[in-house]
Amino acid sequence: DYLECLKDPRIVIMIFQYSACFGTELAMDAKLATHFRVYFEMGTGSASALAGCFGMMNLFSRTLGGILSDALFAKFAFPG
């Protein structure tokens, strides 16, 4: 049950940590095109495309990180 899981403080801490990490990532991705445009004097289209690549990388890195984590857990377990 979802509410039962939320009674564990470790779960709540993990939720807050993930929220802060993901929120920071979204804020950085939102400002990245402006950064490229201003500091590297790129065109709007090029800066937006390059900034979009950083967001797209997250799809692959998160997926591959999860797969690697599952594989390592299966091999080494997670002793207390």
Side-chain angles (χ1 to χ4, degrees), residues 5-24:
C5 290
L6 289 177
K7 292 179 183 176
D8 186 347
R10 295 172 297 178
I11 301 293
V12 175
I13 290 170
M14 182 185 69
I15 290 170
F16 283 126
Q17 288 175 332
Y18 185 79
S19 299
C21 174
F22 191 63
T24 301

Side-chain angles (χ1 to χ4, degrees), residues 60-78:
F60 297 105
S61 63
R62 287 178 182 272
T63 303
L64 293 176
I67 292 170
L68 178 63
S69 175
D70 290 346
L72 290 174
F73 180 78
K75 184 172 183 175
F76 298 109
F78 190 65

